[in-house]
Amino acid sequence: MSRRIPYGRQSIDESDIKAVVDVLRSDFLTTGPRVDGFETVVAEYCGARYGVAVSSGTAALHSCMHALGVGEGDEVIIPPMTFAATANCVLYQGATPVFVDVDAETLLVEPAAVESRVTARTKAIIAVDYAGQPCDWDALRAIADRHGLKLVADACHALGATYKGRKVGTLADLTVFSFHPVKHVATGEGGMVISDDDTLVDKARVFRNHGISSDFRSREKAGAWFYEMVDLGFNYRLTDIQCALGISQMRKLGRFLERRRGVAAKYAQAFAGTAIVSLGLREECEHAYHLYVVRVPGRDRVFRVLREAGIGVNVHYVPVHLHPYYRQILGTSEGLCPIAEEAYGEVLSLPMFPGMSDGDIDFVVSKMVEAVG
Ligand SMILES: *Cc1c(COP(=O)(O)O)cnc(C)c1O
């Protein structure tokens, strides 16, 4: 039996294709009505006031750092069990990422570890809702308030998750989503900043458009040619083509989440009582399952066996502080975050996407059980 099962993939249907084709026949390929439409749909879904659509999750993180005024001499606390972009956005601003360890069961940032690394230079905390499970946001909020820090949620894994009945998108001062094809909603490349804060949102909007204080359509509406660059920004705009796909995808997010949770339930049941250990779940959270992460003995061997069987297992993540670039510029090394480093040797991400069939799940389960023994 031969199968090819990736670890993640987009689900695109005819309505998505039609939405994109409709834009191609319209007046705006970029900075048109679909951008506002997509921002509104995502913000409303989260129960937040504003969305700022940008060209990637990474651009969204960078926009947050800029909006918060993070700069040279500042420190931003982050966990190492994340994609490099979470830390890179701090470096883009000339500030210093400070790595703190995670909880052994959930691999979510440990609030007590966060507080122990706060200094007079700390400006913000970026917490990552790893795999799709929200962090302990009440504890993080209390720490942020005690020390006058801003809270950013890197929620690229967690669109649709909840914490104590509150939606991800309302838990931090700024929340970031990605619309890369392996994430919950695909726009090709794409990202969004979600917030209730007018001032921060205005700064992010200007930042994504070169630092110019009005966009093309607002000038058109005012019948004016005049524009001013009031800040140094980037071209981080998301196109109408992509936003149309995003709007269409958002209509299916409920179904996507339901299937992801269904896949997770099947994995959890199948691995109970085996040497394949699923990550811990927090009772007060509804998980969004961007990833299904297990810990296994002999991970490198299991990885090879599964890959040879055509199953696209993956490893999330190389702890960021162990990347050669970070070792070189920050002098970080093994021993800085021992729990994350130990987890890195054991974690395996199994295929997890809405288009998985029951047969795909059974195939992954049987190969895993066979490989781990
Ligand atoms: C995907 C991801 C990003 C970056 O998103 P892009 O859209 O690929 O730039 C950042 N942080 C985390 C945790 C991610 O999973």
Side-chain angles (χ1 to χ4, degrees):
M1 183 154 56
S2 106
R3 280 176 195 256
R4 293 260 141 228
I5 308 176
Y7 94 87
R9 87 162 261 137
Q10 72 277 11
S11 295
I12 299 292
D13 67 13
E14 286 305 315
S15 69
D16 294 321
I17 293 165
K18 179 173 186 306
V20 171
V21 170
D22 286 349
V23 180
L24 295 176
R25 298 201 167 98
S26 79
D27 290 336
F28 288 98
L29 296 188
T30 193
T31 317
R34 267 83 172 188
V35 179
D36 303 349
F38 187 39
E39 289 173 346
T40 303
V41 167
V42 178
E44 279 181 0
Y45 175 82
C46 295
R49 288 172 70 194
Y50 308 109
V52 182
V54 291
S55 52
S56 68
T58 303
L61 284 164
H62 189 191
S63 303
C64 290
M65 291 300 98
H66 177 82
L68 293 176
V70 169
E72 226 161 287
D74 293 332
E75 295 174 353
V76 177
I77 295 176
I78 63 167
M81 280 307 264
T82 186
F83 184 54
T86 315
N88 293 350
C89 70
V90 178
L91 293 184
Y92 294 161
Q93 293 296 105
T96 304
V98 172
F99 297 100
V100 304
D101 217 343
V102 293
D103 171 72
E105 303 284 309
T106 60
L107 305 185
L108 296 170
V109 73
E110 179 64 70
V114 169
E115 189 150 35
S116 75
R117 299 301 302 273
V118 172
T119 72
R121 293 169 173 247
T122 309
K123 190 112 182 195
I125 302 162
I126 310 177
V128 178
D129 293 332
Y130 179 78
Q133 177 160 239
C135 300
D136 187 349
W137 286 101
D138 282 350
L140 292 169
R141 173 60 69 193
I143 293 164
D145 288 351
R146 266 199 295 281
H147 301 280
L149 312 176
K150 290 294 185 180
L151 265 187
V152 177
D154 181 341
C156 290
H157 295 185
L159 179 60
T162 66
Y163 167 85
K164 299 185 179 174
R166 287 136 62 197
K167 272 250 169 68
V168 164
T170 62
L171 304 166
D173 297 303
L174 293 158
T175 300
V176 167
F177 294 120
S178 164
F179 308 115
H180 181 278
V182 297
K183 306 284 164 70
H184 295 78
V185 159
T187 63
E189 299 287 351
M192 199 174 289
V193 177
I194 294 284
S195 180
D196 283 345
D197 187 313
D198 298 85
T199 310
L200 296 177
V201 163
D202 284 346
K203 283 188 180 148
R205 274 189 206 292
V206 169
F207 188 67
R208 78 164 164 197
N209 190 34
H210 308 280
I212 292 169
S213 57
S214 63
D215 69 19
F216 170 75
R217 278 199 312 151
S218 57
R219 287 197 296 279
E220 280 276 287
K221 238 181 265 168
W225 54 266
F226 185 71
Y227 70 89
E228 280 182 308
M229 192 187 131
V230 295
D231 201 352
L232 182 61
F234 286 77
N235 179 352
Y236 275 165
R237 297 186 304 260
L238 194 61
T239 66
D240 275 53
I241 304 167
Q242 292 165 297
C243 289
L245 180 54
I247 293 167
S248 179
Q249 287 265 295
M250 282 299 292
R251 296 197 185 102
K252 291 165 282 201
L253 177 55
R255 267 178 281 154
F256 291 165
L257 283 164
E258 200 178 315
R259 182 57 181 162
R260 284 176 181 275
R261 288 170 180 148
V263 173
K266 279 181 178 284
Y267 280 149
Q269 195 181 14
F271 301 143
T274 73
I276 303 161
V277 179
S278 301
L279 291 189
L281 299 178
R282 302 166 56 93
E283 217 167 78
E284 67 272 30
C285 296
E286 248 183 314
H287 205 303
Y289 288 109
H290 162 55
L291 300 175
Y292 195 90
V293 176
V294 295
R295 295 173 76 145
V296 289
R299 191 274 315 278
D300 291 347
R301 189 186 59 81
V302 176
F303 178 93
R304 277 196 306 275
V305 171
L306 274 276
R307 279 287 179 99
E308 276 158 21
I311 298 171
V313 287
N314 221 323
V315 172
H316 296 95
Y317 291 93
V318 177
V320 178
H321 66 286
L322 299 184
H323 284 300
Y325 185 77
Y326 278 91
R327 288 179 190 265
Q328 192 195 321
I329 60 149
L330 297 181
T332 49
S333 61
E334 283 80 3
L336 182 62
C337 298
I339 298 171
E341 291 159 21
E342 189 185 345
Y344 165 53
E346 300 173 0
V347 290
L348 195 63
S349 300
L350 304 185
M352 169 56 82
F353 53 95
M356 278 186 88
S357 68
D358 287 350
D360 291 337
I361 302 168
D362 293 342
F363 185 66
V364 175
V365 165
S366 71
K367 287 290 169 194
M368 278 297 289
V369 170
E370 199 180 297
V372 178

